[in-house]
């Protein structure tokens, strides 16, 4: 399975840098330039992970994160906030919005790659657990009460 990563940032230089950092990995990459486009791409591209900037036009990264985590179809997407905002209040707001991890700019390539790898592993384990839970529930329903 090839992982899909969505880079959501309104600054093209940031997008190009993140794409360059991920170039050596076997990921399918798409981009979005604002919050509204990020929500559309989350549904159509079905990424495993979104690298999400906070300060974007139309909808902020906080708003995008909250919408994605409140939508049953997109709540399983891992979200790594990648932002220049470093105040404690911003980090707390990102966590409250539902982000899975937080990375401050300027981005260190090795740190980014490790966090991306860890979030994708976590998503794989979470997906497998969900599949097993559905299988168990189905088996229990088919045998009924004894």
């Amino acid at each position: 399975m090839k992982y899909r990563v969505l880079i959501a940032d309104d600054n093209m230089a940031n997008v190009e840098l993140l794409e360059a950092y991920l170039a050596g990995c076997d990921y399918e990459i798409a981009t979005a330039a604002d919050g509204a486009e990020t929500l559309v791409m989350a549904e159509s591209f079905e990424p495993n992970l979104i690298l999400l900037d906070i300060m974007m036009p139309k909808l902020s990264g906080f708003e995008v994160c909250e919408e994605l985590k409140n939508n049953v179809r997109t709540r399983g997407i891992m979200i790594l906030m990648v932002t220049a905002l470093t105040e404690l209040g911003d980090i707390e707001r990102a966590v409250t919005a539902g982000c899975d991890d937080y990375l401050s700019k300027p981005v260190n390539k090795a740190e980014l790659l490790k966090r991306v790898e860890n979030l994708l592993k976590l998503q794989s384990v979470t997906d497998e657990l969900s599949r097993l839970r559905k299988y168990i529930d189905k088996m229990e329903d088919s045998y009924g009460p004894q």
Side-chain angles (χ1 to χ4, degrees):
M1 177 184 122
K2 191 170 189 173
Y3 290 111
R4 291 178 304 280
V5 177
L6 175 61
I7 300 171
D9 198 313
D10 60 316
N11 182 319
M12 199 58 199
N14 290 338
V15 171
E16 290 172 358
L17 179 67
L18 293 172
E19 283 181 314
Y21 283 175
L22 296 174
C25 306
D26 190 26
Y27 304 141
E28 188 176 338
I29 297 175
T31 62
D34 63 55
E37 185 181 4
T38 303
L39 292 176
V40 170
M41 289 296 294
E43 296 250 6
S44 63
F45 181 61
E46 298 180 351
N48 303 97
L49 170 68
I50 298 175
L51 304 180
L52 181 61
D53 184 33
I54 291 176
M55 297 182 292
M56 290 193 300
K58 299 187 181 171
L59 293 169
S60 74
F62 297 126
E63 294 167 310
V64 169
C65 188
E66 286 173 358
E67 286 202 35
L68 291 172
K69 293 301 183 175
N70 288 324
N71 181 335
V72 70
R73 292 186 311 270
T74 58
R75 74 172 43 131
I77 299 170
M78 291 289 153
I79 298 176
L80 173 59
M81 293 274 196
V82 182
T83 182
L85 299 179
T86 58
E87 296 295 319
L88 185 57
D90 297 319
I91 297 169
E92 289 173 352
R93 188 168 173 203
V95 170
T96 300
C99 82
D100 298 290
D101 203 353
Y102 189 97
L103 187 59
S104 297
K105 294 176 185 174
V107 174
N108 173 283
K109 180 180 178 180
E111 185 177 12
L112 172 75
L113 293 176
K114 188 45 116 177
R115 289 188 188 214
V116 165
E117 177 187 337
N118 287 341
L119 286 170
L120 291 172
K121 282 181 185 175
L122 178 59
Q123 195 217 27
S124 291
V125 169
T126 303
D127 287 351
E128 183 62 20
L129 182 61
S130 178
R131 280 192 291 278
L132 289 171
R133 182 76 254 162
K134 287 177 186 171
Y135 175 76
I136 290 168
D137 289 346
K138 182 178 174 184
M139 294 304 291
E140 287 175 347
D141 288 345
S142 68
Y143 288 108
Q146 298 295 323

